[in-house]
Every structure is written in C-alpha cells, then in structure tokens.
Amino acid sequence: MKTLTETHDLIRGQQVGRSHSDTSATSFPTRTAGRSRRMTSMIRQAFLPTHFLRSAGLAAGALYLAACATGPAVSQVSPTVELDTGTLQGIQDGALSVYRGIPYAAPPVGELRWRAPTPPASWSGVREASEFGSACMQATTSEEPWAQVGPESEDCLYLNIWQPTSDGESLPVMVFIHGGSLRAGAAGVPLYDGTALAERGAVIVTINYRLGRLGYFAHPALTQETPEGPLNNYGLMDQIAALEWVQRNIGAFGGNPENVTIFGESAGAVSVQALMASPKAEGLFTRAVSQSGGGYSIMPPMMIAEMKGKAWAAEMGLEKATAEQLRSLPAEEVATLDDYLSGLASDGQILKSSPVETFINGEQAKVPLLIGGNSYEANLLAADLDGLNLKTVKMIVGDKYDDLLEGYRNQDGKGGSGEDRLFTQSIAIQPSRFLANTHAEGGQPSYVYYFGQVAASNRDKMPGAVHGAELSYIFSTRMDSETWDENDREISRLMGDYWVNFARTGDPNGTGLPHWQPVTSAKSPLMDIEGQATLREATPLEKATLEAGEDTVSKIWSTAD
C-alpha cells in the first residue's frame, strides 16, 4: 500500500509532468481510514446552527522523541532551514522548496490528550521533511478526494510548506485549514497541493488539527481537572498553535509573519470565522478567506458540551469517569462515526461566544475578509437522513419559507430544484453576505463571491458547483474524475490570482483580472464566477432571503442579550 506522500506525488506527477522519488512509510502507529460508506453529516459542523447538530499513548510520544533525536541520513543538495526546534531538510520540486510533516506541537497522546497543545520537542542533527505526517484520527465514510487521507494516528500535529524562490523579498503567507465537518480530512491530500499558489509568489502552509471527539470534547472530569481552561476546542487550539509556529518560524522560509492570510473551506471556513472571533488568535493573521462556511453558526455553551460528553462516557461504561479513565480509552474507540455530536463550544476563553455574535458586536478581527459559497451547496442534502437541514432552513427564514420556496421554484437558471436553491441561499450564500456586510459596516474591506463553475466533463450532469468544487480551481489540482476545458483552466488561473493577490495586499484585484468591488455600507455586490468573473448585485430573491435570515439572527441575539 502506498503512503500518502507517494500517492500525492504520483497524482502531482500525472497532473503537471513532475515525479518524485519514493519515500518510506511513517514509523509511527497508524490506522487506515475506511472508505466504503457515505458520510452523513458533512454539513453539520460546516455551517449549521450547532444546537441543531447532533454534528497512541505515552509510548508513541517516546518513540516520536527518539525518532526526532537521530534523523535518517539526508542528502546535502536538498534545501534546509533553521527552525526554533532544529535543522529541517526538505525536497526540491522545480523552483519550489517543499517541506512536509513539520511538527508544530507535541504529539497530543497519553496525558496530552484533551489538553491545549504544547510546543514540539527540539531535535539534534538534521530532520528530514519529505513525508507527510499522519492524518489525525477520524471516522469518515466519504469516498471523495478530500477524505482520502492515508494513514492516521493520534500523533498528527504536523504542517506542510511550499516555498517559492525570492530575491530577498519577504513573501505573503497563506495558511490553509481543511474542511470535513471538523471530523475528517487532512493537510496532505493531493487536492490541497500548494504548488500552483506558491508559484505565484506566496509561501503556502497546510495544517492538520485534531478532529471529532479527540479535537472537540468536554466532560465534567476534564473541567474539574483544569477549571481555568481552556476546554473543549482542542482542534481550534491546534490551529492557533500552528499560527503561533508560523509567527516564530515562517521567516526561515522567506515568508512575512506580518502578512499571513488564513483560508479555509467548509469546516475550515467555520474555523476561519472562529479564529476571527477568538481573542487568543489576535495578531496571528492579517487577512481571512471563508469558503462555503456560511455565517450563522451557533456554538453551544460548555454546559451543553459537557452533557454530551458525559452521556457518551456513560455509553462507554464510564458513568463516573475520571480524566485518567477517559484518556486511557483507545483512540479507535474515541474517534467513531457518532462523534458528530462533538464540535466547537463557547468555552469563555478560546471562544467567548458564537462568531456571528462576535461580528454583530464588532469584536471580530479587524482584517480584510473574502467570503462566499457555491451555486449547488444543496448536494449536501443527499447526506441529510434525518431532516435536520430542512428544519434549519425553516428556522433561518422563518415565516418567509413558503414565499421564498415558491420564488425559487419559479426561478430560471441553475442550482437544482426550488428546495435546493433555497437551501444553498439560506445556509451558505446569504449568511456569507451577512458577515461581509456586518464586517464592512465596521470599516473593514470585504469581498463576496458566488462560485458556479462546473468542470467540462460534468456540465451535463450537475446543476451547479457542489460543496467544495472551488478547491481544485483555487489550488489548480484537477482530479482524475474531472476533465477540464480551456475555460476551466482560465477560471483556475483567475481564482488563483484573486486569492494570492488578496493574500498579498488585502485586495484581490490585479492586472488582467475583472475588477472586484468590495462591499460597502451602500452596496453589497457579488463576484459571480462561472465561465468568467462578473460583478453583479444580489437579485430581489437573494435580498429577500438575506432579510429573512437577518430577522431571525436579530431575534436570536436580542433574546440572548
């Protein structure tokens, strides 16, 4: 069986005519993810209100430290960098230097499970960085490209870097946070290969973070152990630790620590919004991109998170669990398919409240924001087996549901059925516009997009751009299941340019690109990306959907106050 690195390099070589030498498998305990069933809750932690979402021991740590202390023999012709923990050697890929599997925190195993991340151990000699680190433990049933994560381990806090050459110029940095409902995914899958973006003159970073119940979990025993916190949001703490690592070390890769953009898709976009809301992430990034993350996510209080954790522990036979007993459970028994019950919570430290409330109060990070969604996010309805998505749509638009549904049923164009269009607009597109408008009212640059491009091979099959479809265009990583024509390649070029321009200056505009106007207090335009990039105003039906959502949000937070 090939390692994730071998699979990644094989696909990369097929795509762009490159090939890499085979590398050995990771030496840490791993497991292989299941691939045979469909995941039923991808959307839940991605952008639905959380109260509707029911979204290897110490020996491994010792083995990790021993491996770091004496790295394998490495070639002197490969690129090397000096970090705050030791010397690192990567691989040369054309004009890029690539570093894989860089530890940004200590392995969260044994006594470090369900604790805030701690700094990684230093090593002597030269550490080789040619292999992706193991993905974090997860229980996914998706067969889509983003979910093909390779070997998994509880020892998983690694990041990867694509470094372009520069003439001494300090380059913008782009840190990507993968999606997967906070339950699945990994930084090293081929879909997120950073080559094409790095070739535009940015240092690209992709990160792993703890997932599911291992990443988002609360229990009274853990609270009693550390009453001062932080608690529950360990995956988000990992993301903050990765950004702190970037601040300390990215200069060694030619990156500018004062020009860091975070960008994420789906649950990664929700994470971006949470980072904008978190006081612990203040000053760690200067721009933010939220892709298909909506904007109305509501995080439950710690009391609810603890109740869920206590109920699960009881199911595991630990009615009066201690922290020690919880940490002694095998990781495979913790990361199970029912861990969609886990998720972000308002813990009072990492997240003082839900991101949407933070935006309403004007307390979010004051950085430029680029945000949007896709034209057929409703493809996620196929995974909604218990009707929660429909209930959520009705909750968002309230008593306007019937009128809006009739309007979307009578609307010409793409995006599926009337129900599909209402779902896409009320869950993804208009909540994104709400955040952008709110952010712009506070004087911050905000840009909104609506992505509708469908690959040439799928245009007669799909009614629009499905959830996550923009990723292969941004990263220029066409998958084998797609055939692109010249227009697809042009859209990929355009989106990559927009994203890197935004990372460089906080403005996506640049030479040869259709002009993208920001949102203002008076106007809220969208950049419609399908076939070409066309700036447009929202339609009357879109405006009505936004207004219905705004009414609901206003009622929720006025009641909360």
Side-chain angles (χ1 to χ4, degrees):
M1 179 179 178
K2 290 183 180 296
T3 66
L4 179 61
T5 303
E6 290 173 320
T7 303
H8 182 286
D9 288 346
L10 177 61
I11 293 175
R12 225 11 245 174
Q14 291 172 341
Q15 290 171 342
V16 297
R18 294 189 178 96
S19 63
H20 300 301
S21 301
D22 288 346
T23 49
S24 59
T26 177
S27 60
F28 299 116
T30 61
R31 81 171 187 185
T32 301
R35 300 286 177 254
S36 61
R37 302 177 301 277
R38 294 288 302 170
M39 181 166 67
T40 62
S41 62
M42 177 196 288
I43 191 173
R44 307 222 171 147
Q45 192 63 41
F47 44 61
L48 298 186
T50 304
H51 60 281
F52 276 98
L53 310 181
R54 298 295 176 258
S55 69
L58 291 173
L63 178 60
Y64 169 86
L65 295 177
C68 291
T70 57
V74 290
S75 168
Q76 294 301 312
V77 299
S78 298
T80 60
V81 292
E82 292 293 332
L83 307 181
D84 60 352
T85 47
T87 304
L88 193 72
Q89 180 165 285
I91 61 172
Q92 197 68 36
D93 183 5
L96 302 180
S97 298
V98 181
Y99 301 84
R100 298 165 172 161
I102 307 171
Y104 68 83
V109 301
E111 285 299 311
L112 295 183
R113 179 191 286 180
W114 293 318
R115 293 187 188 274
T118 58
S122 299
W123 60 85
S124 60
V126 179
R127 180 188 176 99
E128 186 178 355
S130 60
E131 284 277 355
F132 290 109
S134 294
C136 292
M137 297 286 288
Q138 54 196 271
T140 178
T141 58
S142 176
E143 297 177 0
E144 296 183 21
W146 63 267
Q148 310 315 301
V149 302
E152 302 170 18
S153 173
E154 200 172 359
D155 171 13
C156 63
L157 300 185
Y158 299 96
L159 55 78
N160 316 295
I161 294 178
W162 286 260
Q163 175 191 359
T165 57
S166 69
D167 298 327
E169 175 190 6
S170 192
L171 300 174
V173 181
M174 300 178 69
V175 180
F176 179 70
I177 306 172
H178 69 77
S181 300
L182 300 180
R183 300 179 58 229
V189 299
L191 181 62
Y192 310 139
D193 183 284
T195 300
L197 292 177
E199 289 175 341
R200 289 172 163 85
V203 178
I204 307 302
V205 183
T206 64
I207 65 172
N208 285 347
Y209 57 95
R210 281 173 282 182
L211 302 166
R213 196 175 285 116
L214 288 166
Y216 304 89
F217 179 73
H219 189 281
L222 298 177
T223 302
Q224 183 178 6
E225 178 185 63
T226 315
E228 72 279 5
L231 299 163
N232 188 82
N233 302 313
Y234 304 103
L236 190 64
M237 297 178 210
D238 294 341
Q239 296 167 17
I240 293 172
L243 291 172
E244 291 172 339
W245 184 97
V246 166
Q247 288 296 310
R248 297 193 308 270
N249 290 289
I250 205 65
F253 300 89
N256 182 355
E258 297 182 358
N259 189 2
V260 176
T261 295
I262 53 174
F263 69 124
E265 184 269 341
S266 190
V270 173
S271 296
V272 166
Q273 296 170 20
L275 290 167
M276 291 183 71
S278 175
K280 299 298 185 181
E282 184 177 358
L284 297 179
F285 57 92
T286 50
R287 326 198 195 288
V289 181
S290 172
Q291 301 166 207
S292 295
Y296 295 154
S297 295
I298 298 176
M299 314 309 177
M302 279 297 297
M303 178 181 67
I304 300 299
E306 287 182 355
M307 288 174 57
K308 293 188 295 184
K310 188 174 181 179
W312 171 77
E315 292 177 2
M316 299 297 291
L318 298 174
E319 186 74 37
K320 297 181 179 180
T322 65
E324 182 181 5
Q325 288 173 324
L326 290 169
R327 292 194 176 99
S328 69
L329 290 170
E332 292 83 356
E333 295 182 15
V334 179
T336 55
L337 283 171
D338 66 347
D339 67 0
Y340 62 81
L341 292 170
S342 304
L344 289 162
S346 298
D347 69 317
Q349 285 197 31
I350 303 300
L351 281 179
K352 293 189 175 181
S353 61
S354 297
V356 60
E357 182 181 16
T358 302
F359 272 75
I360 291 171
N361 293 336
E363 297 171 347
Q364 78 279 13
K366 303 303 189 287
V367 299
L369 173 66
L370 191 155
I371 189 169
N374 298 351
S375 63
Y376 188 50
E377 302 278 1
N379 75 294
L380 293 169
L381 284 170
D384 184 29
L385 303 182
D386 50 15
L388 289 180
N389 293 336
L390 177 59
K391 293 175 183 177
T392 302
V393 171
K394 290 184 174 180
M395 188 211 72
I396 290 174
V397 301
D399 59 8
K400 302 296 192 297
Y401 178 82
D402 290 336
D403 291 341
L404 290 171
L405 180 57
E406 181 180 2
Y408 283 110
R409 283 174 172 170
N410 295 329
Q411 184 186 55
D412 294 329
K414 298 180 180 180
S417 67
E419 288 81 358
D420 291 341
R421 295 174 187 177
L422 179 53
F423 174 88
T424 292
Q425 290 290 337
S426 62
I427 295 291
I429 306 303
Q430 299 314 315
S432 294
R433 289 186 63 219
F434 174 80
L435 286 191
N437 293 347
T438 304
H439 200 53
E441 287 172 2
Q444 301 306 310
S446 302
Y447 299 85
V448 178
Y449 73 89
Y450 178 80
F451 181 78
Q453 186 76 9
V454 178
S457 56
N458 296 329
R459 285 178 197 151
D460 59 348
K461 306 172 188 176
M462 299 301 299
V466 301
H467 187 65
E470 84 287 359
L471 288 165
S472 61
Y473 289 88
I474 293 168
F475 284 97
S476 295
T477 48
R478 180 192 61 78
M479 297 294 101
D480 289 341
S481 60
E482 297 178 343
T483 300
W484 282 8
D485 60 12
E486 187 56 39
N487 182 247
D488 288 312
R489 288 185 283 274
E490 175 60 19
I491 292 297
S492 179
R493 180 198 67 79
L494 178 148
M495 292 193 74
D497 286 350
Y498 275 141
W499 261 238
V500 173
N501 287 346
F502 180 78
R504 183 175 291 115
T505 66
D507 183 335
N509 292 293
T511 303
L513 296 173
H515 186 68
W516 192 338
Q517 290 181 357
V519 173
T520 66
S521 58
K523 298 186 69 175
S524 179
L526 301 85
M527 182 60 83
D528 199 322
I529 303 174
E530 181 182 1
Q532 57 185 347
T534 304
L535 197 71
R536 67 172 177 85
E537 290 296 318
T539 67
L541 199 52
E542 288 174 325
K543 292 179 180 178
T545 307
L546 175 60
E547 290 171 0
E550 287 176 333
D551 288 344
T552 298
V553 169
S554 176
K555 291 175 183 177
I556 290 173
W557 296 117
S558 63
T559 301
D561 293 340

